[in-house]
């Protein structure tokens, strides 16, 4: 296949877009489409290589896979080795368990499947996963396994028939992708069936160019520039709300197709992409893509949010420094088939490397993140107390298919189920903490929680159905006497604080907030009027970042600051200003004074972690709130005991 410098330049465009997007440059909010560009390039190159060799009668699957191994694995192994060292030093056990799973998935070409399956409410945020970017490598690797075999099987029917087949695959995959972007966004993003149309776009370019090159005239010159413009528009106008991949993704995909077809040497677009700086960036693109994500992730773990913009700018340059080392000292020696690394040597080394990665990942996973790495027993205490409720998986409702009907929900603690926890995910740990304290008295608790679902939230149909059913269940239950209501109400009323602290979010109008509060008040009153003793838990203070990042900032007094008290008071003021409007029969539990002093709120207290992420309390944090609830219940009982008999 004739070398085209323009393709290396196009690779540079793709990797620059991705890195600047992940570095947080708002002007490159759509830079993630660089991955889509990579897929088109890959489809074009792989199809060109295979069809040329088949036509010449020299195609060999073993030779094809040897080239892929030489191209992909050495640089990948180099990055994994460096990332593993950093992870061993810095990652906490919970994050190390995730890292171990990632290692095993990368080594088995299934990381896209892993990250799709992990895309749940309580999993580590994507910006804290060092190997998240390998999902795209997994998609390509799966393509490399399937496509050559399919091409060999169908090539016998002729080039035109094969072209028609690829067009059908393109259309079908694109249609599924657009449907999936709306209905199954996570699977749609990560999995091959909804990405293969992008690879097919490149493959179709290859088949077209193998028959006739486009004329080189003013029109093709213009179309090449249009291709650059299309990618540029997508890069600056797309953002995390854009459905991707979907019909919208046709913009950068067709831009890439135009460049492959019309950016030949001599055209304006071709000269731009084929310039020395762009070609150099393209040569380093694979290694640069490999290194940027772990560098950015470890920066997020080690630095505060205000330090990150400068750090990301520096690390973007460091990325290309590491990429230069990787390209010249790792990629090139192995890619050269005339080097001392014979085919047998390459496959043996690849097998050893793969086995080592799987083995290390398995060790990290089965050892629960190798916690003995840390010698500081105080830090170990903080690490050990980052605990979610053990009842989360079996008792908490998510969106479909993890829907648990109220009548089939969990109850635990003692056998006398006098209590119920009613809320969103903020009630999970609290429900478990309550059960621990109630068990001694023989009382139990019914677990009724649904992610992102509450009367003060813009809710889905599933959430509305569940809320109605759960409310009816509680009202009709003769056994349940006490209902604890716990929601992430600050986010429901104002929006999420993640990524913008210390700015206060304000995503809704005052009218919308009033309507949300009225719905919550109506539900609380309905339960109280049904004879239930209602405990309304004001949300515990949010944390400025993930708890894992704060553990390195624990002071000698065992405290780690989360947010300022002034910020949290302002964040929750809409609620606290209206607590007096609640019926007097409803007991309000406000944990702010337990989690904050007059200046700051704390995520870690006396080397005990009070949270599991940036807003959900840990079991230890929940025990504080549970004690407040049960103390209030005792006071209520004592108050009733001292009333005259006719008022009890």
């Amino acid at each position: 296949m004739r070398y085209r410098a323009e393709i290396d330049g196009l690779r540079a465009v793709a990797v620059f877009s991705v890195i600047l997007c992940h570095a947080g440059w708002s002007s490159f909010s759509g830079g993630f489409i660089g991955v889509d560009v990579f897929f088109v390039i890959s489809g074009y190159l792989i199809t060109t290589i295979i069809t040329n060799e088949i036509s010449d009668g020299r195609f060999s699957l073993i030779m094809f896979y040897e080239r892929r191994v030489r191209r992909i694995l050495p640089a990948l192994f180099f990055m994994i080795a460096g990332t593993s060292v950093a992870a061993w030093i810095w990652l906490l056990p919970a994050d190390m368990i995730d890292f171990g799973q990632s290692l095993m998935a990368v080594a088995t070409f299934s990381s896209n499947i892993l990250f799709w399956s992990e895309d749940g409410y309580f999993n580590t945020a994507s910006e804290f996963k060092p190997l998240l970017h390998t999902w795209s490598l997994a998609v390509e690797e799966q393509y490399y396994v399937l496509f050559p075999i399919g091409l060999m099987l169908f090539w016998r029917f002729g080039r035109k028939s094969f072209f028609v087949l690829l067009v059908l695959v393109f259309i079908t995959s694109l249609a599924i992708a657009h449907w999936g972007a709306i209905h199954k966004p996570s699977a749609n993003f990560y999995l091959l069936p909804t990405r293969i149309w992008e690879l097919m776009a490149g493959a179709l370019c290859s088949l077209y160019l193998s028959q006739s090159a486009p004329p080189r005239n003013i029109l093709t010159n213009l179309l090449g520039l249009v291709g650059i413009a299309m990618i540029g528009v997508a890069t600056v106008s797309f953002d995390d709300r854009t459905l991707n991949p979907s019909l919208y993704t046709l913009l950068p995909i067709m831009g890439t197709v135009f460049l492959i077809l019309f950016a030949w040497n001599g055209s304006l677009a071709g000269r731009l992409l084929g310039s020395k700086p762009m070609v150099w960036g393209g040569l380093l693109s694979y290694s640069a893509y490999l290194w940027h994500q772990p560098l950015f992730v470890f920066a997020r773990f080690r630095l505060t949010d205000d330090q990150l913009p400068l750090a990301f700018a520096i690390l973007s340059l460091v990325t290309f420094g590491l990429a230069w080392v990787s390209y010249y000292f790792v990629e090139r020696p192995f890619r050269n088939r005339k080097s001392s690394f014979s085919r047998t040597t390459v496959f043996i080394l690849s097998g050893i490397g793969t086995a080592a990665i799987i083995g290390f990942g398995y060790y990290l996973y089965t050892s629960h993140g190798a916690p003995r790495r840390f010698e500081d027993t105080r830090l170990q205490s903080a690490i050990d107390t980052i605990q979610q409720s053990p009842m989360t998986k079996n008792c908490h409702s998510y969106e479909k298919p993890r829907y648990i009907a109220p009548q089939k929900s969990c109850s635990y603690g003692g056998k006398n189920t006098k209590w119920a926890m009613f809320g969103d995910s903020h009630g999970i740990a609290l429900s478990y903490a309550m059960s621990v304290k109630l068990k001694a008295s023989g009382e139990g608790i019914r677990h009724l929680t649904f992610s992102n679902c509450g009367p003060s939230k813009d809710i889905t149909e599933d959430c509305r159905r569940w809320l109605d059913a759960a409310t009816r269940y509680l009202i009709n239950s003769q056994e349940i006497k006490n209902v604890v209501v716990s929601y992430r109400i600050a986010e429901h009323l104002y929006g999420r604080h993640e990524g913008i602290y210390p700015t206060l979010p304000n995503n809704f109008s005052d009218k919308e907030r009033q309507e949300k509060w009225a719905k919550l008040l109506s539900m609380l009153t309905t339960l109280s009027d049904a004879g239930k003793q209602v405990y309304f838990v004001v949300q515990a203070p949010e944390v400025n970042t993930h708890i894992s990042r704060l553990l390195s900032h624990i002071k000698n007094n065992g405290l780690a600051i989360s947010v300022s008290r002034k910020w949290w008071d302002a964040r929750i003021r809409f609620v606290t200003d209206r607590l007096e409007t609640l019926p007097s029969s409803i007991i309000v539990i406000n944990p702010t004074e337990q989690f904050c002093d007059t200046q700051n709120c704390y995520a870690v207290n006396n080397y005990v972690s009070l949270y599991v992420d940036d807003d959900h309390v840990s079991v230890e944090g929940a025990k504080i709130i549970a004690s407040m609830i049960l103390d209030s219940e005792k006071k209520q009982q004592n108050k009733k005991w001292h009333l005259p008999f006719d008022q009890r």
Side-chain angles (χ1 to χ4, degrees), residues 477-492:
S477 173
Q478 299 299 313
E479 186 179 20
I480 294 172
K481 308 298 182 184
N482 306 289
V483 180
V484 180
V485 179
S486 178
Y487 289 102
R488 188 183 180 183
I489 193 167
E491 186 261 341
H492 292 192

Side-chain angles (χ1 to χ4, degrees), residues 23-260:
W25 289 40
S26 57
S27 299
F28 290 83
S29 60
F32 55 82
I33 58 93
V35 175
D36 304 274
V37 173
F38 274 127
F39 285 152
V40 181
I41 295 172
S42 184
Y44 165 70
L45 292 176
I46 294 303
T47 305
T48 301
I49 291 170
I50 296 176
T51 55
N52 285 348
E53 292 184 354
I54 288 179
S55 298
D56 295 342
R58 54 187 176 87
F59 177 70
S60 163
L61 267 179
I62 192 68
M63 187 179 295
F64 172 80
Y65 291 131
E66 178 194 353
R67 283 197 299 263
R68 293 300 90 201
V69 167
R70 289 179 182 271
R71 175 75 174 96
I72 294 172
L73 295 189
L76 178 63
F77 288 174
F78 179 51
M79 180 274 293
I80 287 176
T83 302
S84 297
V85 171
W88 185 265
I89 297 171
W90 287 325
L91 290 192
L92 299 174
D95 299 306
M96 205 60 158
I97 293 171
D98 287 341
F99 183 70
Q101 289 180 294
S102 298
L103 287 175
M104 291 186 284
V106 170
T108 54
F109 308 151
S110 60
S111 56
N112 61 327
I113 298 172
L114 171 70
F115 295 128
W116 161 55
S117 67
E118 283 185 341
D119 196 34
Y121 197 79
F122 292 98
N123 291 110
T124 303
S126 60
E127 61 266 27
F128 291 99
K129 295 181 179 180
L131 300 179
L132 178 71
H133 61 320
T134 61
W135 74 267
S136 61
L137 298 184
V139 169
E140 291 207 22
E141 288 157 349
Q142 292 158 14
Y143 171 72
Y144 296 153
V145 171
L146 299 174
F147 185 71
I149 297 173
L151 196 155
M152 292 173 65
L153 290 174
F154 291 99
W155 191 252
R156 68 186 68 181
F157 299 108
R159 189 182 298 266
K160 289 184 179 180
S161 297
F162 189 66
F163 186 92
V164 171
L165 175 63
L166 295 192
V167 169
L168 292 175
V169 172
F170 175 93
I171 294 172
T172 303
S173 175
L174 175 57
I176 296 172
H178 192 74
W179 178 89
I182 300 170
H183 300 285
K184 301 288 182 181
S186 181
N188 186 66
F189 183 85
Y190 284 113
L191 302 184
L192 177 62
T194 51
R195 289 287 183 175
I196 201 167
W197 68 275
E198 300 176 338
L199 292 147
M200 292 298 97
L204 290 168
C205 288
S206 173
L207 293 179
Y208 173 74
L209 291 175
S210 68
Q211 294 299 294
S212 58
R216 302 184 183 185
N217 52 35
I218 295 177
L219 177 60
T220 56
N221 250 310
L222 179 61
L223 289 175
L225 295 175
V226 169
I228 292 178
M230 293 171 77
I231 294 174
V233 168
T235 300
V236 300
S237 63
F238 284 13
D239 57 29
D240 57 5
R241 295 167 296 180
T242 305
L243 300 178
N244 184 58
S246 69
L247 288 172
Y248 295 105
T249 317
L250 277 171
L251 181 64
I253 295 300
M254 294 311 299
T256 308
V257 167
F258 282 4
L259 288 172
I260 291 174

Side-chain angles (χ1 to χ4, degrees), residues 412-429:
Y412 43 83
K415 293 183 179 180
N416 185 11
T417 311
K418 293 174 60 177
W419 293 78
M421 175 60 59
F422 188 29
D424 62 11
S425 57
H426 277 227
I428 299 175

Side-chain angles (χ1 to χ4, degrees), residues 376 378 553-559 606-607:
D376 189 335
R378 297 177 303 176
H553 300 286
I554 298 177
K555 301 183 185 300
N556 291 333
N557 58 3
L559 296 172
N606 194 27
Y607 297 100

Side-chain angles (χ1 to χ4, degrees), residues 348-634:
I348 290 175
L349 291 176
S350 299
I352 293 173
T354 300
I357 292 170
I358 293 174
F360 184 53
Y362 182 74
Y363 162 72
L364 294 178
Y365 182 72
T366 56
S367 67
H368 305 290
R372 299 305 170 193
R373 292 171 291 137
F374 301 100
E375 296 180 359
D376 189 335
T377 56
R378 297 177 303 176
L379 176 60
Q380 190 62 53
S381 171
I383 293 170
D384 291 342
T385 49
I386 303 178
Q387 293 181 347
Q388 296 178 8
S389 164
M391 312 305 292
T392 303
K393 183 176 181 180
N394 293 327
C395 300
H396 180 63
S397 279
Y398 298 86
E399 296 287 349
K400 294 177 180 178
R402 290 285 305 283
Y403 177 93
I404 302 172
Q407 64 271 20
K408 296 182 179 179
S409 61
C410 299
S411 60
Y412 43 83
K415 293 183 179 180
N416 185 11
T417 311
K418 293 174 60 177
W419 293 78
M421 175 60 59
F422 188 29
D424 62 11
S425 57
H426 277 227
I428 299 175
L430 182 53
S431 181
Y432 179 72
M434 289 285 294
S435 75
V436 172
K437 293 181 177 294
L438 289 169
K439 191 172 183 179
S441 62
E443 295 181 358
I445 190 166
R446 175 73 62 174
H447 186 127
L448 296 166
T449 62
F450 195 122
S451 279
N452 248 339
C453 178
S456 59
K457 176 95 175 164
D458 294 327
I459 57 178
T460 64
E461 183 58 36
D462 285 338
C463 171
R464 183 178 293 104
R465 180 165 57 91
W466 184 87
L467 280 174
D468 291 344
T471 303
R472 287 195 304 272
Y473 175 81
L474 291 171
I475 290 173
N476 295 327
S477 173
Q478 299 299 313
E479 186 179 20
I480 294 172
K481 308 298 182 184
N482 306 289
V483 180
V484 180
V485 179
S486 178
Y487 289 102
R488 188 183 180 183
I489 193 167
E491 186 261 341
H492 292 192
L493 296 174
Y494 279 92
R496 302 174 71 86
H497 77 297
E498 290 90 341
I500 66 170
Y501 175 85
T503 301
L504 287 165
N506 189 18
N507 298 348
F508 307 105
S509 66
D510 286 338
K511 180 181 178 182
E512 288 174 313
R513 274 188 285 277
Q514 295 286 358
E515 291 173 351
K516 290 168 182 283
W517 178 259
K519 290 177 182 177
L520 175 61
L521 181 60
S522 174
M523 187 201 74
L524 294 174
T525 304
T526 298
L527 293 172
S528 180
D529 290 346
K532 310 299 177 182
Q533 178 57 69
V534 178
Y535 297 82
F536 173 55
V537 179
V538 179
Q539 177 187 342
E542 290 163 325
V543 183
N544 63 342
T545 188
H546 195 280
I547 184 68
S548 298
R549 299 174 66 188
L550 292 175
L551 295 192
S552 60
H553 300 286
I554 298 177
K555 301 183 185 300
N556 291 333
N557 58 3
L559 296 172
I561 296 173
S562 59
V563 295
S564 72
R565 175 66 183 269
K566 180 180 179 181
W567 181 87
W568 176 246
D569 284 344
R571 170 83 156 136
I572 203 68
R573 184 166 293 130
F574 183 93
V575 176
T576 54
D577 284 351
R578 288 161 178 77
L579 293 177
E580 292 183 358
T581 66
L582 295 176
S584 58
S585 59
I586 296 174
I587 298 175
V588 175
I589 306 296
N590 189 350
T592 297
E593 297 298 333
Q594 303 295 319
F595 285 72
C596 310
D597 57 27
T598 57
Q599 298 297 316
N600 298 298
C601 300
Y602 297 93
V604 179
N605 189 352
N606 194 27
Y607 297 100
V608 173
S609 295
L610 304 179
Y611 294 83
V612 296
D613 50 26
D614 60 4
D615 63 278
H616 294 89
V617 296
S618 65
V619 170
E620 292 300 320
K623 286 179 180 178
I624 296 173
I625 304 173
S627 294
M628 295 176 67
I629 294 171
L630 294 177
D631 286 346
S632 296
E633 190 237 1
K634 289 179 182 177

Side-chain angles (χ1 to χ4, degrees), residues 327-374:
Y327 177 73
Y328 283 100
F329 297 100
V330 180
E331 283 193 61
R332 285 184 63 176
F334 277 93
R335 288 174 67 178
N336 183 3
R337 298 184 68 243
K338 296 180 181 179
S339 68
S340 57
F341 299 105
S342 65
R343 175 184 295 173
T344 301
T345 302
V346 166
F347 281 129
I348 290 175
L349 291 176
S350 299
I352 293 173
T354 300
I357 292 170
I358 293 174
F360 184 53
Y362 182 74
Y363 162 72
L364 294 178
Y365 182 72
T366 56
S367 67
H368 305 290
R372 299 305 170 193
R373 292 171 291 137
F374 301 100

